[in-house]
């Protein structure tokens, strides 16, 4: 069966078509600037690639263009949309309603809509992607794969916040966690890679990219994760500030500054502060130059003290989470690095693991060099340290295949 994986953003639609016999990628692409001047589609299939520039007013038009290029005589890989057995959609927030992926029906769509306040930037766009595909692919099963689902095994002591309990009971204010599809894939893949069962294993996964999160996984189930009610909590990230004293929000709202550091002279709203903390903070806010880890590292190497501080803060934060999760699980057996930074930045991995010998974790500098799926710990390390490239699209495709063929999701 061929599965189409879709990740819809507010003005974009990313897709990948996968032949599940051998889990082979057939084609992928990105429709961007939907509803904005300069909209276009970038598509590749094997060694062939093309760019289509034309007005794309909404997500339905984007979905139609996606299907058109997939059937194109020169760049397409299917003759008819009938070859697509199902569509798997990434959905950011499932709240506390979903512990697994679901075939889309009206109840599921209503639940996604109910989570709009928890994922205001992503959930509306995710639902638009689902409804667009429903319109242009009538009768094709649609599956929602929730970014929060893997973390729903956290116990209350990990997911509850210390505010009056009625806020969790009435408004569902709690830690949800994100990047769940990635954490789930990596936690199972590392066991497969090492030839072990997840039972009895304590795994810490560091998903490090422009958005970053860590998770503590025991017996294959998530015990804790660094992101919270929203993706803003946790580590310093590309443009997100990460965890801080909540009173900072009030203080900045009452004493805001212009971009040049001069006082605005009037208070701003909480929403404006959170926009700053989501989009102008993190590596960008500290370095003052870039949200890209590669740029910030280069600036640090050239002598920028601000860039050096940004990298120090990121690495310090990762170390703290690894240490705390090892303590929470009573030790650690495996540490995994994944996602853009985790998979590709061997210097950062080395800095994170420096001084971790007290946990029984020791890096091998030679093994750590370069990229790819591999063990990077020393032969005498008590903790196995690995690099496991993530593959969220395959995880979404597997869940989609399972649900439309067997009615349930496999535990891997």
């Amino acid at each position: 069966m061929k599965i189409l994986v879709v990740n819809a953003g507010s003005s974009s639609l990313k897709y990948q078509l996968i032949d599940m016999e051998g889990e082979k990628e057939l084609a992928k692409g990105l429709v961007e600037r939907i509803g904005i001047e300069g909209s276009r589609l970038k598509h590749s299939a094997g060694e062939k690639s093309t760019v289509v520039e034309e007005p794309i007013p909404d997500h339905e038009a984007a979905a139609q263009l996606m299907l058109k290029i997939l059937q194109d005589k020169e760049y397409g890989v299917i003759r008819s949309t009938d070859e697509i057995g199902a569509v798997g959609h990434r959905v950011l927030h499932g709240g506390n309603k979903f512990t697994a992926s679901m075939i889309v029906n009206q109840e599921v769509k209503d639940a996604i809509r109910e989570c709009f306040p928890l994922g205001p930037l992503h959930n509306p766009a995710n639902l638009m992607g689902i409804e667009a595909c429903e319109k242009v692919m009538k009768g094709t099963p649609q599956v929602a794969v929730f970014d929060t689902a893997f973390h729903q095994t956290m116990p209350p002591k990990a997911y509850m916040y210390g505010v009056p309990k009625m806020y969790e009971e009435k408004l569902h204010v709690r830690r949800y966690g994100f990047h769940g599809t990635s954490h789930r894939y990596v936690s199972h893949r590392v066991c497969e890679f090492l030839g072990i069962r997840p039972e009895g294993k304590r795994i810490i996964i560091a998903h490090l990219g422009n958005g970053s999160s860590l998770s503590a996984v025991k017996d294959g189930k998530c015990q804790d994760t660094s992101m919270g009610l929203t993706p803003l909590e946790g580590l310093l990230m590309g443009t997100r500030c990460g965890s801080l004293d909540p009173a900072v929000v009030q203080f900045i709202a009452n004493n805001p500054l212009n971009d040049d550091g001069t006082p605005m002279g009037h208070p701003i709203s909480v929403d404006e502060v959170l926009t700053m903390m989501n989009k102008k903070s993190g590596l960008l806010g500290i370095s003052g130059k870039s949200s890209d880890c590669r740029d910030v590292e280069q600036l640090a190497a050239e002598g920028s003290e601000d860039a050096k501080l940004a990298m120090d803060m990121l690495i310090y934060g990762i170390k703290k989470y690894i240490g705390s999760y090892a303590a929470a699980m009573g030790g650690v057996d495996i540490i995994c690095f994944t996602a853009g930074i985790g998979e590709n930045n061997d210097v950062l991995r080395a800095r994170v693991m420096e001084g971790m010998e007290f946990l029984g974790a020791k890096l091998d500098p030679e093994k750590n060099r370069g990229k790819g799926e591999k063990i990077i710990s020393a032969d005498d390390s008590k903790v196995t340290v690995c690099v496991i490239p993530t593959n969220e699209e395959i995880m979404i495709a597997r869940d989609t295949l399972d649900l439309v063929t067997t009615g349930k999701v496999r535990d891997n």
Side-chain angles (χ1 to χ4, degrees), residues 99-102 144-151 178-191 198 203 205 207 215 217 220-222 338 388 390-392 394-400 402-403 408-412:
T99 59
S101 303
M102 299 287 291
V145 179
F146 298 94
D147 218 19
T148 51
F150 179 65
H151 304 304
F178 299 89
H179 298 137
T181 309
S182 173
H183 286 282
R184 180 171 164 232
Y185 173 84
V186 172
S187 67
H188 287 279
R189 174 57 195 158
V190 71
C191 292
I203 306 171
I205 299 165
H207 175 111
S215 66
V217 181
K221 305 295 183 184
C222 180
T338 193
I388 302 290
T390 192
N391 195 327
E392 295 174 86
I394 284 295
M395 200 80 257
I396 293 171
R398 287 176 182 172
D399 279 8
T400 302
D402 288 346
L403 282 169
K408 62 180 182 179
V409 175
R410 75 183 94 169
D411 189 25
N412 61 46

Side-chain angles (χ1 to χ4, degrees), residues 11 24 57 65 75 133 159 164 214 219 223 225 237 292 373:
S11 62
K24 180 184 177 184
L65 184 59
Y75 298 103
C133 288
Y159 71 69
L214 279 81
D219 301 321
Q223 304 299 305
T225 191
M237 305 177 218
D292 191 304
E373 187 175 66

Side-chain angles (χ1 to χ4, degrees), residues 94-368:
N96 59 2
K97 295 178 181 294
F98 300 108
T99 59
S101 303
M102 299 287 291
I103 292 179
V104 174
N105 55 27
Q106 190 58 48
E107 183 180 357
V108 171
K109 289 194 287 184
D110 289 344
I112 294 171
R113 189 173 282 106
E114 287 176 22
C115 290
F116 279 9
L118 297 175
L121 297 179
H122 297 83
N123 269 45
N126 300 154
L127 185 57
M128 281 193 289
I130 290 171
E131 293 181 333
C133 288
E134 285 181 326
K135 288 180 181 178
V136 301
M137 303 176 72
K138 288 181 169 58
T140 303
Q142 311 285 324
V143 170
V145 179
F146 298 94
D147 218 19
T148 51
F150 179 65
H151 304 304
Q152 292 301 298
T153 54
M154 286 189 293
K157 64 182 180 182
Y159 71 69
M160 288 290 293
Y161 289 123
V163 296
K165 198 166 183 289
M166 62 182 175
Y167 285 97
E168 192 276 331
E169 295 170 340
K170 302 294 185 182
L171 299 179
H172 313 300
V173 174
R174 50 161 286 181
R175 174 173 289 108
Y176 289 100
F178 299 89
H179 298 137
T181 309
S182 173
H183 286 282
R184 180 171 164 232
Y185 173 84
V186 172
S187 67
H188 287 279
R189 174 57 195 158
V190 71
C191 292
E192 184 180 60
F193 175 64
L194 297 175
I196 58 175
R197 296 287 301 166
E199 290 76 18
K201 300 302 177 186
R202 300 159 298 183
I203 306 171
I204 296 173
I205 299 165
H207 175 111
L208 307 175
N210 192 259
S212 298
S213 64
L214 279 81
S215 66
V217 181
K218 190 174 184 179
D219 301 321
K221 305 295 183 184
C222 180
Q223 304 299 305
D224 204 347
T225 191
S226 58
M227 285 180 166
L229 176 73
T230 75
L232 188 57
E233 186 179 359
L235 291 172
L236 188 84
M237 305 177 218
T239 62
R240 297 185 185 122
C241 63
S243 297
L244 43 68
D245 180 347
V248 172
V249 177
Q250 180 191 46
F251 188 85
I252 291 177
N254 291 332
N255 302 277
L257 301 176
N258 293 303
D259 289 342
D260 62 2
T262 58
M264 284 188 183
H266 59 82
I268 60 175
S269 69
V270 169
D271 287 350
E272 289 175 291
V273 177
L274 290 182
T275 296
M276 177 270 289
M277 289 180 170
N278 271 292
K279 297 184 177 181
K280 296 183 178 181
S281 302
L283 294 177
L284 174 62
I286 300 299
S287 73
K289 297 292 185 180
S290 177
S291 63
D292 191 304
C293 184
R294 294 166 295 188
D295 294 342
V296 177
E297 281 189 317
Q298 181 61 39
L299 288 166
E302 292 170 358
S304 167
E305 290 299 321
D306 289 340
K308 182 179 182 299
L309 174 60
M311 293 306 302
D312 287 347
M313 290 171 67
L314 171 61
I315 290 161
Y316 182 65
I318 300 168
K319 283 176 174 285
K320 283 205 298 184
Y321 272 107
I322 290 174
S324 64
Y325 286 167
M329 293 191 292
V332 57
D333 301 299
I334 303 166
I335 297 172
C336 292
F337 290 92
T338 193
I341 297 172
E343 294 169 25
N344 299 307
N345 194 322
D346 51 13
V347 174
L348 181 138
R349 293 195 302 257
R351 289 190 64 190
V352 168
M353 295 310 300
E354 185 179 358
M356 290 288 187
E357 289 83 3
F358 78 99
L359 283 179
K362 183 179 177 183
L363 212 63
D364 183 312
E366 289 299 320
K367 292 180 183 178
N368 183 46

